[in-house]
């Protein structure tokens, strides 16, 4: 079985197991997803969703957040960890959105990457979820599961995993595939405990289960 054949089979099985999937960061505007994904580094999405409510109550739009003192942003986002660096990035990112893009989030991958605090994972999430363009989000779930499944071989660097997955994942499937990996990684193919292979929908196709 080739990696591409395995990938296509896994995509279909995950679709059946998780027919409704989406980003678990709450947002109703593109700039809010940029803020949330920066806060989500080394923090749970659930906590981020609580913290940003307070942030947006005080600073309800790009201009307000761009003008906010970094120290005030930090006070609010501190529960997400790494408060100082996250606050600085959010402030600088909002200023750039205001000054360069008229308060709008650009729908160009390279322009997203040029925003302060935005890496490939964040840029892909925006491209896929907001603009519905091909995207592969290599978060910790994606990296862990694709290695276990045999879609990549012992690669842990996000950029390299992304590059390998682009070779075998149909572009139109990438974004939802990565969201389903998060669903599956939380429910079955867990990180902190032994993966629950005995109840896994991929048992007959996953390399970890001995399928070659």
């Amino acid at each position: 079985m080739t990696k591409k054949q395995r990938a296509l089979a896994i995509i279909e099985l995950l679709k059946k197991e998780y027919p409704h999937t989406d980003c678990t960061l709450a947002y109703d505007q593109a700039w809010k997803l940029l803020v949330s994904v920066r806060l989500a580094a080394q923090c749970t999405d659930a906590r981020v969703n609580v913290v940003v409510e307070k942030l947006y109550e005080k600073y309800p739009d790009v201009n307000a957040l761009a003008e906010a003192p970094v120290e005030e942003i930090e006070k609010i986002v501190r529960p997400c960890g790494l408060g100082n660096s996250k606050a600085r990035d959010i402030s600088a990112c909002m200023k750039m959105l205001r000054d360069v893009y008229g308060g709008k989030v650009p729908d160009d991958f390279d322009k997203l990457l040029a925003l302060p605090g935005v890496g490939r994972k964040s840029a892909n999430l925006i491209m896929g979820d907001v603009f519905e363009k091909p995207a592969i989000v290599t978060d910790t779930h994606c990296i862990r599961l694709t290695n276990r499944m045999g879609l990549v071989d012992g690669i842990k660097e996000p950029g390299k995993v992304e590059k390998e997955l682009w070779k075998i994942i149909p572009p139109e499937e990438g974004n939802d595939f990565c969201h389903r990996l998060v669903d599956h990684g939380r429910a079955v193919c867990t990180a902190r405990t032994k993966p629950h292979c005995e109840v896994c929908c991929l048992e007959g196709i996953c390399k970890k289960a001995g399928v070659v």
Side-chain angles (χ1 to χ4, degrees):
M1 181 182 294
T2 66
K3 284 185 172 66
K4 188 160 190 175
Q5 289 171 330
R6 190 189 303 273
L8 294 175
I10 287 171
I11 286 170
E12 292 308 311
L13 289 168
L14 289 178
K15 281 183 179 180
K16 292 177 182 177
E17 191 73 8
Y18 309 99
H20 307 292
T21 191
D22 204 353
C23 178
T24 52
L25 290 168
Y27 69 97
D28 56 10
Q29 297 179 64
W31 68 271
K32 292 183 178 180
L33 183 55
L34 270 178
V35 171
S36 289
V37 74
R38 180 64 187 96
L39 292 176
Q42 299 182 42
C43 182
T44 65
D45 290 0
R47 176 169 290 184
V48 171
N49 289 341
V50 171
V51 169
V52 292
E53 287 185 10
K54 298 177 182 178
L55 186 67
Y56 302 147
E57 281 177 11
K58 192 166 185 178
Y59 307 110
D61 54 42
V62 170
N63 288 338
L65 198 49
E67 293 170 5
V70 173
E71 297 78 11
E72 294 302 312
I73 298 174
E74 182 183 357
K75 287 179 184 177
I76 298 172
V77 305
R78 190 175 292 142
C80 294
L82 305 173
N84 184 262
S85 63
K86 290 180 179 180
R88 288 200 313 269
D89 283 343
I90 290 169
S91 176
C93 183
M94 295 301 109
K95 283 182 170 66
M96 191 166 177
L97 288 184
R98 179 195 63 190
D99 298 340
V100 180
Y101 298 110
K104 304 294 185 181
V105 176
D107 62 352
D108 178 88
F109 189 81
D110 291 329
K111 289 178 180 178
L112 286 170
L113 280 182
L115 294 171
V118 177
R120 293 191 67 85
K121 182 180 79 170
S122 302
N124 270 300
L125 187 64
I126 296 292
M127 292 297 286
D129 275 30
V130 175
F131 300 115
E132 298 183 350
K133 295 186 177 183
I136 290 178
V137 181
T138 49
D139 63 4
T140 56
H141 292 289
C142 176
I143 294 168
R144 182 177 76 256
L145 270 64
T146 54
N147 272 279
R148 286 177 176 174
M149 293 169 178
L151 301 184
V152 298
D153 300 316
I155 305 173
K156 300 299 175 66
E157 203 277 313
K160 292 180 180 178
V161 172
E162 180 191 337
K163 182 179 179 181
E164 291 303 306
L165 291 178
W166 277 120
K167 298 175 184 178
I168 59 174
I169 304 295
E172 68 277 10
E173 298 285 359
N175 193 54
D176 283 348
F177 171 66
C178 291
H179 283 321
R180 289 188 172 97
L181 290 180
V182 174
D183 295 335
H184 196 59
R186 288 173 174 164
V188 178
C189 200
T190 51
R192 297 185 180 181
T193 64
K194 186 177 178 181
H196 306 292
C197 298
E198 70 282 358
V199 296
C200 181
C201 64
L202 306 178
E203 187 179 13
I205 195 74
C206 179
K207 192 171 183 179
K208 185 173 177 60
V211 180
V212 295

